[in-house]
Amino acid sequence: MPADRHAMSAGTEEAPASGHTAPPCVVEMRSITKTFLDVTANSNVTFSLREGEICALLGENGAGKTTLMNILFGYYAADSGEIRIGGEKVSFSSPKDAIACRIGMVHQHFTLVPSQTVLENVVVGSGGGKFFLDLSGARKKLLALQERFGLSVDPDAPVWTLPIGGQQKVEILKALYRDARILILDEPTAVLAPLETRELFATLRTLAAGGCSIIFISHKLYEVMEIADRVVVLTKGVLTAERKVSETSERELANLMVGRDLAEKKRPPRGTPGSPLLEIRGLTVKNDRNLEAVNDLSLDIRSGEILGMAGVSGNGQRELAEALFGLRKPVSGTISVNGMPLPPARPKASVESGMGRIPEDRMTTGLLLELSVEENLVLENHADFRSLGMLDHGAIGRHAERLISDFSIKTDGRTAKAQTLSGGNLQKIILARELSASPKVVVAAQPTRGLDVGAIEYVHWRILDARASGAAILLISEDLDEIFQLSDRIAVMYEGRIMGIADGGSASREQIGLWMSGVNEPCA
Amino acid sequence: MIITKRAPLPGWVQVLVPVGAILVTLLLSAAPILFAGGDLWLSYTSLFKGALGTRYNFLETCVKAAPLTFTGLAVAFAFRAKFWNIGAEGQLLAGAIAATWVGISAPALPKVAVLILVCTAGFLAGGLWATVPALLKTKYRVDDVVTTLLLNYVMWHIMGYLLFGPLQMPNSSWPRSPAILEIARFPVLLARSRFHLGIVLAVAAVLIVWFINSKTVFGYRARAVGVNPRAAAFGGINVNSVIIRTALLSGGLAGMAGVGEVAAIHFHLLMDISPGFGYSGIVIAMLGRLHPLGTALAAFFFSVIIVGAQSMSRLTGVPTYIAEVIQGMALIVMLIALLLTEYRIKAVKD
Amino acid sequence: MEQVFTITFITGLLAAMMRMATPIIFGTLGEILSERAGVLNLGIEGIMLMGAMTGFLTTLTTGSLWLGVAAAALVGALLALFMAFLAVYLGLSQHVSGLGITLFSTGLAMFIYRLSVGSPVNPPTVRPFTQAAVPFLSEIPVIGPAFFTQYTLVYWAFLLIPALWVLLYRTTWGLAIRTVGENPLAADTVGINVNLVRTLCLAGGGALMGIGGAFLTLAHQNMFLIDVVGGRGWISIAMVIFGNWDPARGAAGALIFGFLDALQLRLQGLGFDIPFHLFLLIPYLMTVVALVSVSRRAAAPAGLLKPYRREEKG
Amino acid sequence: EVKDYKDFKLAAVFQTAIEEPWDGAIHQACILLQKELGFTYEFTEKVGAADFERVLREYAERGFDLIVGDAFLAGEEPSRRVAKDYPEVAFAFGSEFTFQEPNYSVFDNWIHEPSYLCGIIAGRMTKTNTLGIVAALPIAEVNRLVHAFKEGALSVNPKVKVKVAYIGSWFDPPKAKEATLAQIEAGADLIFAERFGVFEAAKEKGVLAFGNMMDQHDLAPEVVITGPVWNMGPTVRYCIDEVRSRKWKAGDLREWSMMARGGAYLAPFHEFQQKLPPEVLKEVRELEAKIMNGQFTVPIIETELKTD
Ligand SMILES: Nc1ncnc2c1ncn2[C@@H]1O[C@H](COP(=O)(O)OP(=O)(O)OP(=O)(O)O)[C@@H](O)[C@H]1O
Ligand SMILES: Nc1ncnc2c1ncn2[C@@H]1O[C@H](COP(=O)(O)OP(=O)(O)OP(=O)(O)O)[C@@H](O)[C@H]1O
Ligand SMILES: [Mg+2]
Ligand SMILES: [Mg+2]
């Protein structure tokens, strides 16, 4: 698909081409080292950023990207090393100092107060010594910013009512509201749909053009190629490579990150799909705001087929998945797995129906972080290890050992607490739990969100593997590449409805993109 | 000042830290003692003598530890499943009431049968009383902290009503029940002491709770619900039923504390049957890190302080309220000590 | 029964409601301030008792009521600062820290009292606050004598309700407090000193609790006795949740509770032949019932009970 | 031979804080006698129900000659158990039950006689014919007094009605105050204050009240007319001397708490000596004399008193 890639990167030219007249360094981090208990997150990292430059930070999960940025933002204290801002040596004891140096950071995991309005979230802490809140003044300033950078969100909407894309805008506005000149974005696109990403990039370019310097973290190499002027690669806490984007390639970057070439991303040929295993009829589901998020939706998925459900976040995908998992009570409609209808809002039933369930938020829904790996592995089937009310720990242990090796989960042992595992490995626990019993139906929601290329590769392989063994798979994802790589059929969800379904092999990104934005006439 | 996790300390340090905490507590309690003009050395010696010095005193400390262990377990078990049971006090009273009622009107059965009857009644009463807030929590999402707290007062007044009414001793105008029958009383296990069956039951309860927590399906589910209800539900666990069963068991344990006080200490029901055992249970459970064995240790530690400090105040002529002051200090110091086993504190100027 | 609907009965009932509610309102507002910043202060019962004791002894020795109130506030704040040291800076369990402080201060209050007054024939007394009538307003029938002929501290309590509301919802500090309580990380990343905010809120709340205690020994009564607080701190905790962490609703809860408590004492006086213990449990039972009705929208500050440590992961 | 006072050791064990008038009366008597006679006196207040037995054994072990205190409820069985185990120690306890051979005597606050006298004053003084009574709990020790108060009032004024409120605990002045206010608003113009908290309300509403247990004049000089006083002095002194001279035997010490023996009396009138109508004072003094010399016995009614 290089063609579309090119289409997307149209306009890279606007970005100030670094090199010709080298602008001054606004940030210099010298030999930064940071260790946590048992991990060295950054070792002797030296990094610099020029004015108006967009610099991408690459690295596997746990490479130390977030840590390095947290140090620059004054959130973590480095064990050693020094930081200079605009040539001045600084020592930050808290983000307050960093903000004073006009540094802003959009965190990997949003730092918003859901119950408060956008405006409140933006102005908090920026009172400037005033005692009484001046919300009207703040609103003016905010609207002006929105105007200027095309970041439109309703200032008075409570944040929890916003889609993820909207929440991210709030995060960016928070930084800009404090006149940040140095902007750090930690995996901003991980949760965005292509359209939103495009909007974001437009904003970033405007900012950079205005002399704002940007550090951009992402696991998506083509994004880096598109938006960044320069790329820096961290591996296991060490800065291992630096490239001008103009002088490198996706392939090289992948290699630099993972330390090996990634398998060529090619979708294995689809088998002949069998009988429908997952049937959804007239499903209507309400969201937390009690609005209809899924609207009279019907769908069939056949054995040995992957249906990719694309769509901009907040169009009902979450609610659809929750209904399938039995976490949310449908208003109407039926769901049947392998011919058997599921009783509404009974997670147990969806477990017993033999559905493999990969939830969107692995931390809050999928896992018991404070319990051990083995306890997480038997969350759904611990009853099978019961003998007169007691758990057969021996059997559970053996079961865990097998899965840990089958799914090559990196852990200090089956009794290690899940929370000490890494993102990718946490996802592996879920895969192991859900796919090892060779389920008839698999529902995977955002299965690779936040994971690095290596981990993603593994997840994809597992999903295709499940398809090969005849499962009907619903893949809900906001990552179009993932959709295009895996799907036999591609459906697009818009405002709770299915805009259309296209064949995975022949569908065009334009068509899907149009559907995602709610436009329905087929394009020439 | 910033606080960071530290690498696990070697076992012997882990043991030493609580000991250190006790010493610090003694050091601190010197202040009020001297302030009250008490003799320090006499205070310390009488504190330990009072709690552990003689056979009788040691056994008295065990007697005090029994109800504290029960309420501690009750709270620990509930908190583990994030059922914030502040109501052990009321559940204890419920248990005491039921035990009294059965104890007064016990049928002519072999003693073992009667004792089992008494305990079952107390356990159920406490348990059922605890399921009220549990049901309110699961059905109407009413905050359990408040309801359990308020229901303590409700049960206290219900007891008051009973002791001035149906349960009042016929020839007495005081809020007291008739004495329970001999056959319904816990046997004393060691001569010339009050070391009774209830203490053994408390120890048994510790082991049972530990077993349930770590070995049974229910224990697993309770833990799952405790750490992450949403994930537990996702995994097909019926969160509500887990909470309600937890309440039943938790309240039952608290009820057993009441049973012990009636069947082994007072032999009748009275308004101040519990000097706040239920509330101390919260403290003890937390000190014991919600772990059954830890809870038992904490309970014993606490009764040493209570019994010792009271006797100390008598021998030194320091107002008896010093006992609570020392308890409070002991608790806080011990808490800090336990923190230091996991974290290191760096002084940093902001 | 007809006695229930006489003017004097109703006036008296309402006036009593105000008095009974006042210490609980102080406690509730203090607790709301702390919990909105994310710290549950179970030390309240002990803090109120220390306030009652300190206020009383100060007035007893200096003869000045206002010094007594000030001392109570000061002691309340100090104990709350100690709470802050434990629960905020050390990040110890808020449950245990609070209960520890209650245990400690309960003992300490009686300990100090006994040492300073010994055992006289009659407990010492002070000349307490007298009721101050608000000009004009106190003339209004029923309303006047009930609401506008009260102790100064009662007026304070009721002025504090809107004051706290304004602080929380109309000031930059309030926004900071609420943010700290909901999501300390968010507050920290915009440069708010989470621990400082929590500490100040605890201290302020503690001061209010202390004054609430002093009301009992300097206005409503003129002597200090053990158990004078008698669970009013715990009730305040209940009212915070009942009021869904909102000053106005919390105070309303306290008023309802005060009303029921005043009512049950009067019903006893009317000589229904009902065991008095059943009267005594009315307020508690009613509160539970009321909770069921408000519960569905209950929303505790998301950061409550969670210590905030910057480098803690996950 | 008789034991010397300075070698004599007296201990007191109280279940409540010594501010509580009942225990306070015992404690005060012990302190006064100690000052006068110079024996050793130790006490423990606020002894929890479960600790009662341990505390008693501790004092017995430490060789105290006489242990007094209140045994009601929690203390009844333990104190009798301990007494059995230490026959050489003398025990004298406030108790609702009877004494126990050989060494366990009982006493109680038999101050219904002065209460009756207060009732007469109230009956004479009331304008609304409504009297208020604020008490802790409907127990015999309380019922005796409030009934005697009512009977006294009725004996001189048959139209009198009483309102009774129980606050449900030994200490809750705020509640007691509110109960009083309620009674005053309902027409009561004289209050019998069995518990603390009443006088504040009386002051605010400008009505008069009777104290209880001790001379509570100092608590509120302007409202406290008088009140039944329990003087444990005679009882304790009698016990000490019996024990010293090895004559101690178990018995009911009630007579030592009654007016004839000076164990109960009507608190001094202070200001009210002038304020009260002379004929009322005269009437009271006359009946007082009758009671002293046994010509008149005040009825003892121990059932719960209800609001008329
Ligand atoms: N909360 C924690 N406390 C202590 N150590 C932790 C914690 N979280 C992670 N670690 C350590 O950091 C290691 C790597 O964590 P991280 O999530 O960054 O791994 P990762 O590189 O992302 O793995 P993957 O690529 O599979 O996601 C963990 O294996 C663990 O040893
Ligand atoms: N507060 C912490 N406590 C303990 N370990 C931590 C902490 N923060 C980060 N780590 C560990 O430090 C390493 C670097 O983590 P960091 O979050 O910087 O990686 P990352 O590059 O951002 O990974 P990802 O791509 O998953 O976001 C990881 O091993 C992580 O587990
Ligand atoms: Mg990161
Ligand atoms: Mg990771």
Side-chain angles (χ1 to χ4, degrees), chain A residues 60-63 108 219 362-363 421-425 450-452, chain C residues 313:
Chain A
E60 287 193 279
N61 295 120
Q108 184 171 6
H219 289 297
R362 64 187 79 107
M363 300 289 188
L421 266 70
S422 61
N425 284 298
L451 299 188
D452 62 39
Chain C
K313 185 189 177 187

Side-chain angles (χ1 to χ4, degrees), chain A residues 37 93 318 322 325 327 347-348 350-351 357-359 361 363-371 375-376 378-380 382-383 386 389-393 433-434, chain B residues 2 4-8 82 211 213-221 223-238 344 346 348-350:
Chain A
L37 270 205
S93 66
R318 167 182 287 267
E322 287 179 346
F325 297 155
L327 288 174
K348 199 160 197 302
S350 81
V351 170
R357 308 140 79 230
I358 299 170
D361 30 31
M363 300 289 188
T364 59
T365 311
L367 293 163
L368 305 158
L369 291 174
E370 289 137 272
L371 297 193
E375 285 172 311
N376 273 281
V378 296
L379 174 61
E380 290 176 353
H382 60 273
R386 163 171 40 188
M390 278 177 276
L391 285 172
D392 177 350
H393 283 271
R433 186 177 70 205
E434 302 295 334
Chain B
I2 63 168
T4 53
K5 255 195 166 14
R6 69 161 75 221
K82 295 254 164 69
F211 180 84
N213 271 342
S214 52
K215 296 265 176 283
T216 67
V217 174
F218 176 65
Y220 171 81
R221 290 178 177 167
R223 250 176 308 138
V225 171
V227 298
N228 184 346
R230 182 174 167 85
F234 174 81
I237 294 172
N238 182 339
R344 61 158 41 87
K346 278 187 254 142
V348 173
K349 52 165 179 56
D350 278 5

Side-chain angles (χ1 to χ4, degrees), chain D residues 233-305:
Chain D
T235 313
V236 177
R237 184 188 288 271
Y238 170 79
C239 295
I240 293 178
D241 289 337
E242 290 294 289
V243 175
R244 282 173 61 229
S245 48
R246 304 270 186 279
K247 299 209 296 292
W248 177 258
K249 17 183 191 22
D252 186 338
L253 302 164
R254 125 177 359 206
E255 59 170 320
W256 296 97
S257 285
M258 312 244 292
M259 280 177 84
R261 294 253 190 204
Y265 57 84
L266 197 60
F269 287 100
H270 303 279
E271 292 88 329
F272 286 88
Q273 190 68 43
Q274 277 65 40
K275 292 186 191 161
L276 289 186
E279 65 279 10
V280 174
L281 284 175
K282 185 156 165 298
E283 184 179 15
V284 169
R285 289 305 175 200
E286 278 164 12
L287 190 70
E288 188 175 28
K290 282 212 184 67
I291 295 174
M292 296 290 239
N293 60 31
Q295 289 171 325
F296 180 83
T297 42
V298 174
I300 295 176
I301 311 169
E302 299 193 332
T303 58
E304 175 170 355
L305 175 63

